[in-house]
Amino acid sequence: MEDKERQLLKEFQISWSKKKYWVMSRSQQAYNQIRFLAKGNEWSSEKQKQYEKILIDLEQIKPTDRTLRVAYQHVWGYFKKVATEVEKQRYIKLIDEIPLDSHQLEDFLKALSLKYNQAYLLQMKWILVDEIETK
């Protein structure tokens, strides 16, 4: 692998680690497309352009209850073994009873990220971040 491709791959991996749940919350198909692009850890300028186009296209897509549920369940996976019983019950209540686009579940998961020092989650682009910034 050439140095340029290695650098592009590294930049993609950093970007993807920050955006994958945001992508998942908008389109499982786009999430799978990106995973397919990254298959084999080979990256190119052409793949980078495809990745960037997918991200730009997703900016126009609002999350649905279904896509939000899937993304939040993936994030919850970081806590399900360490959360207290009260936190588990709160999560169940939020995911089952509160509108998923209300930010309550996301705020709860952000608080758990801080409490349990989940650096990976703390540096990611959160699922409803764009909606918060535009209000």
Side-chain angles (χ1 to χ4, degrees):
M1 182 183 292
E2 293 180 26
D3 286 342
K4 182 180 179 184
E5 289 172 341
R6 212 175 320 226
Q7 182 61 32
L8 282 172
L9 177 61
K10 184 178 179 181
E11 289 171 10
F12 160 73
Q13 289 169 333
I14 291 168
S15 173
W16 182 234
S17 72
K18 292 179 180 180
K19 296 178 181 168
K20 73 179 185 179
Y21 295 121
W22 178 84
V23 169
M24 184 184 288
S25 74
R26 279 147 178 77
S27 169
Q28 186 66 45
Q29 182 182 3
Y31 179 85
N32 291 338
Q33 283 179 303
I34 294 168
R35 287 187 63 216
F36 182 78
L37 281 175
K39 192 174 181 180
N41 274 336
E42 294 177 11
W43 205 248
S44 64
S45 297
E46 182 57 38
K47 286 184 176 186
Q48 183 66 29
K49 288 176 188 169
Q50 290 175 36
Y51 171 65
E52 290 170 1
K53 180 174 182 346
I54 292 169
L55 294 179
I56 289 168
D57 290 347
L58 288 176
E59 293 283 348
Q60 306 306 313
I61 296 175
K62 294 279 187 198
T64 65
D65 274 353
R66 182 172 175 234
T67 59
L68 285 170
R69 183 174 305 282
V70 169
Y72 285 137
Q73 287 171 334
H74 278 264
V75 174
W76 173 249
Y78 287 85
F79 308 110
K80 67 181 179 183
K81 292 183 180 176
V82 297
T84 67
E85 193 56 39
V86 170
E87 290 165 341
K88 289 176 184 178
Q89 292 306 314
R90 175 106 171 108
Y91 169 77
I92 290 168
K93 180 176 176 59
L94 287 170
I95 200 151
D96 288 343
E97 298 176 16
I98 307 296
L100 294 178
D101 62 355
S102 73
H103 301 282
Q104 290 182 50
L105 181 54
E106 184 161 307
D107 291 344
F108 174 68
L109 292 171
K110 285 179 185 179
L112 291 181
S113 298
L114 285 168
K115 177 181 178 181
Y116 293 108
N117 197 24
Q118 288 291 333
Y120 178 76
L121 297 178
L122 292 170
Q123 58 84 40
M124 77 176 192
K125 180 176 184 176
W126 279 86
I127 295 164
L128 295 175
V129 72
D130 294 331
E131 286 74 16
I132 293 169
E133 291 172 357
T134 59
K135 286 186 177 179

